[in-house]
């Protein structure tokens, strides 16, 4: 039951308990109780909207930063990651496999603000060995949603 509820909420976080119950073939009161329990247990951490940022007036600058870290003896990667996660500029932070250890998404008001975060805050943290920053230029898809309408993707017709 929980997985059905979570899948439907992931699809549309504004879906009501009665709509979830109808679509999943469950009792509405049971769905409401399950959602409350999932929130209390911390499985559901919050609800968010998927924004088409190109339509907003106050576009923020977003960057993806790859970080190489020396894990500490006491806390491994977690200690460094918890310290980085405290910065309000950090939107997402994940431990990953591959050529680097942590993957961050950060947000700032300008390129200079993002650069300042990297040079003055991130790179000075003990255990951070190196960073590689890429600026987000355009989003095509987020959380399974295509950001532009299909008409914008239509190919031009070629006439012989």
């Amino acid at each position: 039951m929980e997985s059905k509820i979570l899948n439907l909420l992931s699809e549309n976080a504004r879906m009501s308990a009665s709509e979830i119950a109808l679509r999943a073939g469950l009792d509405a009161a049971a769905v409401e109780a399950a959602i409350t329990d999932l929130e209390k247990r911390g499985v559901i951490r919050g609800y968010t909207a998927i924004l088409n940022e190109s339509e907003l007036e106050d576009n923020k600058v977003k960057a993806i930063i790859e970080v190489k870290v020396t894990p500490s003896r006491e806390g491994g990667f977690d200690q460094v990651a918890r310290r980085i996660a405290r910065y309000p500029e950090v939107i997402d932070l994940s431990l990953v496999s591959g050529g680097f250890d942590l993957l961050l998404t950060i947000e700032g008001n300008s390129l200079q603000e993002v650069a300042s975060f990297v040079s003055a805050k991130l790179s000075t943290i003990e255990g951070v060995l190196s960073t590689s920053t890429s600026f987000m230029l355009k989003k095509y898809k987020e959380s399974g949603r295509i950001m532009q309408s299909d008409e914008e993707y239509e190919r031009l017709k070629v006439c012989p």
Side-chain angles (χ1 to χ4, degrees):
M1 173 172 79
E2 284 185 358
S3 64
K4 287 182 182 180
I5 293 169
L6 291 171
N7 286 337
L8 288 168
L9 283 174
S10 294
E11 184 182 311
N12 180 358
R14 294 188 68 194
M15 193 177 296
S16 68
S18 58
E19 174 71 16
I20 292 169
L22 183 66
R23 291 183 63 183
L26 302 167
D27 177 66
V31 168
E32 189 70 47
I35 291 171
T36 300
D37 180 59
L38 289 164
E39 291 170 342
K40 285 181 182 173
R41 291 184 2 228
V43 174
I44 296 175
R45 297 287 209 180
Y47 300 90
T48 188
I50 300 168
L51 305 176
N52 186 353
E53 294 168 354
S54 65
E55 299 295 323
L56 299 175
E57 289 182 22
D58 62 338
N59 272 342
K60 299 272 186 174
V61 174
K62 287 192 178 177
I64 297 171
I65 304 174
E66 302 167 345
V67 183
K68 285 189 181 185
V69 175
T70 300
S72 68
R73 282 196 161 153
E74 306 82 42
F77 293 107
D78 293 346
Q79 188 175 28
V80 177
R82 278 197 291 277
R83 187 161 177 209
I84 293 170
R86 288 188 195 115
Y87 287 107
E89 295 93 339
V90 177
I91 298 169
D92 296 309
L93 171 59
S94 301
L95 178 65
V96 296
S97 63
F100 52 93
D101 305 304
L102 300 174
L103 183 66
L104 287 71
T105 303
I106 70 161
E107 186 176 80
N109 291 316
S110 66
L111 293 172
Q112 292 77 17
E113 194 173 288
V114 171
S116 176
F117 169 80
V118 174
S119 64
K121 296 178 181 177
L122 183 60
S123 64
T124 62
I125 294 173
E126 186 177 337
V128 171
L129 297 175
S130 66
T131 65
S132 176
T133 304
S134 299
F135 289 94
M136 288 179 145
L137 302 177
K138 183 176 182 179
K139 258 188 204 176
Y140 293 98
K141 190 172 187 177
E142 181 178 352
S143 299
R145 304 268 197 255
I146 294 176
M147 301 310 287
Q148 286 78 30
S149 66
D150 287 339
E151 291 96 38
E152 294 179 45
Y153 286 115
E154 190 174 322
R155 293 184 61 173
L156 294 174
K157 293 178 177 52
V158 177
C159 296

